[in-house]
Amino acid sequence: MIDLLLRNARLAGHDALTDIAVADGVIVPGTPAGTVPPAGGVAEVIDLGGRLVTPPLVEPHIHLDAVLTVGQPRPNISGSLFEGIAVWAERVRDLTYSDVQSRVRQVLRWQLTCGVQHVRSHVDVCDPQLTALRALADLREEVRGLIDLQLVAFPQQGILGFDGGKELMRKAVELGADVIGGIPHYELTREDGVESVRFALALADEHGLRVDIHCDETDDDHSRFVEVLAAETIRRGMSGRVTASHTTAMHSYNGAYAYRLIRNIARAGLHMVTNPLDNSVLQGRFDTGPVRRGHTRVKELQAAGINVCIGHDSVMDPWYPLGYGDPLQAAFVLVHYGQMSGDRELRRLIEMITVNPAAALGVPGYGLREGGPADLVVFDAPSEADALRLIAPRTLVLRGGRIVARSTPAQHIVTWQGTEEPVTFLRA
Ligand code: FE2
């Protein structure tokens, strides 16, 4: 018995249409597109009409504890990263368990509606009460089976630069943090930054956890902690378990240094996450010209075979006042200032919000294949390029074969030479 038959799907990376059959939450061998299903054997049939289908979107980098706090307790007047950190430090003092949970529940709903089923969230642990971490650890259980949540112990004010920072990191592990974070470029000195990276990897190594460091999120070309992260990863044999996030200083490095660094990143097997939404507005603020736009060397890293992912980073918080958690918006931004408009590059951008972050997070059994979980996302667009161009609504989101989100795309009508007619934004 087939529970659900999705007709005429266009799988990402393929041109031919296919049918996807689901039974007991698993993808079973389907019938070729357009053929009649076995009589009486299918409970529900949905014709996708050639729409793009991908495995679940994966959000590798977001700060859920800060979502929807924009303007609280005061607005970020300059819009700068540093004023954002100062505003957030004030807001952290007012955090309550229910305040965190109610804000995050709303954004998790938005994310699921966009097709996101795996989320890695940084959680500020520079709070002696660890309120946000406790609230999110409980929420992680509440949404299990719908959204898989990984929590990063993230020391927003530094590990050495914050009173009791190391102890709070250890306590975060006891409370169930999945990943160890860091912010070496924000520590008081270069030496403290190096020590913070070493501390983070040692702590993760001791507990068998992954690492995800906010690394070199600055325009300063002397901020060079990715090299320390790569070296420590090589020394400890932690290849594949370590991610470097933001790494915007890489846009300021000289070419010779970047060349050596990228070779070491590849050797260390680091995953890289670029966050186009926040960093396009936060970086380059000290420039009079040319103005930098806050992304790492995405194309050079990819040319070296390194796994690069796109993160959303913020949703309506002191650093970025916009967003509703849709990874496709972030990918759309990267098309433009990453100059990734080539045909192959448009397809790669979809990989950067699906398979690439799934590898960074270590999502087990990820991907669309026969015998695999029926977790998938249908875009109201026939191709990767159209999905990006239209920031296409997700018409259907399946988790374990169940429909967990649906969208009815907007109807557009134009009156053209006296006659009303429907409009689609697809090429005729
Ligand atoms: Fe971040």
Side-chain angles (χ1 to χ4, degrees), residues 192-392:
D192 282 2
V194 171
E195 192 185 330
S196 76
V197 171
R198 295 208 171 117
F199 173 83
L201 269 81
L203 185 61
D205 206 3
E206 186 186 332
H207 295 275
L209 301 176
R210 288 175 181 255
V211 175
D212 192 332
I213 304 284
H214 275 66
C215 216
D216 304 320
E217 187 183 6
T218 163
D219 297 332
D220 177 10
D221 65 336
H222 293 286
S223 184
R224 297 180 170 189
F225 295 104
V226 180
E227 75 172 26
V228 180
L229 187 62
E232 279 298 293
T233 303
I234 292 167
R235 278 191 207 114
R236 288 187 175 271
M238 290 177 71
S239 178
R241 288 168 50 199
V242 179
T243 297
S245 285
H246 294 288
T247 64
T248 56
M250 228 188 268
H251 63 188
S252 304
Y253 297 156
N254 68 68
Y257 177 71
Y259 175 80
R260 181 175 77 94
L261 178 64
I262 288 172
R263 281 165 55 116
N264 289 347
I265 290 171
R267 188 177 152 198
L270 298 189
H271 304 285
M272 308 294 286
V273 177
T274 194
N275 297 289
L277 300 173
D278 283 46
N279 288 129
S280 63
V281 296
L282 292 174
Q283 306 310 134
R285 292 211 170 220
F286 298 104
D287 293 357
T288 49
V291 176
R292 287 165 283 194
R293 265 296 170 249
H295 60 97
T296 191
R297 297 190 182 219
V298 175
K299 288 194 191 193
E300 287 166 69
L301 289 163
Q302 289 181 328
I306 294 160
N307 183 38
V308 187
C309 318
I310 296 173
H312 195 297
D313 206 15
S314 292
V315 177
M316 298 176 71
D317 69 12
W319 298 279
Y320 185 73
L322 308 177
Y324 52 90
D326 187 357
L328 200 54
Q329 271 200 335
F332 182 84
V333 169
L334 192 61
V335 174
H336 296 84
Y337 74 65
Q339 294 171 323
M340 295 184 68
S341 52
D343 183 57
R344 268 299 304 147
E345 288 170 333
L346 293 178
R347 287 191 168 188
R348 195 177 304 146
L349 283 152
I350 298 294
E351 292 165 8
M352 290 173 74
I353 58 173
T354 53
V355 288
N356 293 9
L361 270 61
V363 177
Y366 181 85
L368 294 178
R369 63 183 183 286
E370 286 175 8
D375 303 344
L376 58 84
V377 181
V378 179
F379 294 74
D380 191 26
S383 68
E384 287 93 329
D386 285 311
L388 280 160
R389 181 174 65 87
L390 301 168
I391 312 188

Side-chain angles (χ1 to χ4, degrees), residues 2-66:
I2 289 172
D3 302 318
L4 179 63
L5 181 65
L6 299 176
R7 286 246 155 124
N8 298 308
R10 203 186 70 65
L11 298 182
H14 297 78
D15 290 323
L17 301 185
T18 185
D19 290 352
I20 301 169
V22 176
D24 294 327
V26 167
I27 295 172
V28 297
T31 48
T35 59
V36 179
V42 181
E44 188 182 1
V45 179
I46 299 175
D47 190 345
L48 299 185
R51 288 184 173 82
L52 177 70
V53 175
T54 70
L57 306 196
V58 180
E59 176 53 69
H61 188 115
I62 195 164
H63 297 256
L64 285 176
D65 52 343

Side-chain angles (χ1 to χ4, degrees), residues 18-233:
T18 185
D19 290 352
I20 301 169
V22 176
D24 294 327
V26 167
I27 295 172
V28 297
T31 48
T35 59
V36 179
V42 181
E44 188 182 1
V45 179
I46 299 175
D47 190 345
L48 299 185
R51 288 184 173 82
L52 177 70
V53 175
T54 70
L57 306 196
V58 180
E59 176 53 69
H61 188 115
I62 195 164
H63 297 256
L64 285 176
D65 52 343
V67 295
L68 311 184
T69 63
V70 62
Q72 301 169 357
R74 60 182 172 90
N76 180 343
I77 299 295
S78 65
S80 73
L81 175 63
F82 304 99
E83 187 175 344
I85 292 176
V87 170
W88 172 245
E90 292 172 32
R91 183 62 174 79
V92 165
R93 289 184 219 127
D94 303 332
L95 285 182
T96 66
Y97 182 91
S98 60
D99 153 47
V100 174
Q101 284 205 339
S102 63
R103 286 184 289 105
V104 175
R105 274 198 201 97
Q106 175 158 17
V107 171
L108 287 176
R109 267 192 216 107
W110 291 351
Q111 289 180 296
L112 187 62
T113 308
C114 295
V116 178
Q117 297 184 17
H118 307 275
V119 176
R120 174 178 284 177
S121 176
H122 295 259
V123 187
D124 188 0
V125 296
C126 290
D127 162 20
Q129 313 306 321
L130 293 170
T131 303
L133 185 64
R134 290 175 206 275
L136 277 160
D138 289 346
L139 208 51
R140 181 177 55 190
E141 299 313 310
E142 183 182 312
V143 300
R144 196 179 286 282
L146 204 54
I147 293 181
D148 297 326
L149 202 49
Q150 283 188 2
L151 303 177
V152 186
F154 171 54
Q156 176 75 75
Q157 313 287 334
I159 296 175
L160 285 89
F162 188 78
D163 222 15
K166 285 185 176 178
E167 213 31 62
L168 283 167
M169 292 295 286
R170 290 196 192 96
K171 228 168 128 190
V173 172
E174 279 170 36
L175 283 174
D178 305 288
V179 182
I180 304 299
I183 188 165
H185 57 277
Y186 198 74
E187 299 285 356
L188 289 167
T189 63
R190 154 110 201 149
E191 290 70 22
D192 282 2
V194 171
E195 192 185 330
S196 76
V197 171
R198 295 208 171 117
F199 173 83
L201 269 81
L203 185 61
D205 206 3
E206 186 186 332
H207 295 275
L209 301 176
R210 288 175 181 255
V211 175
D212 192 332
I213 304 284
H214 275 66
C215 216
D216 304 320
E217 187 183 6
T218 163
D219 297 332
D220 177 10
D221 65 336
H222 293 286
S223 184
R224 297 180 170 189
F225 295 104
V226 180
E227 75 172 26
V228 180
L229 187 62
E232 279 298 293
T233 303

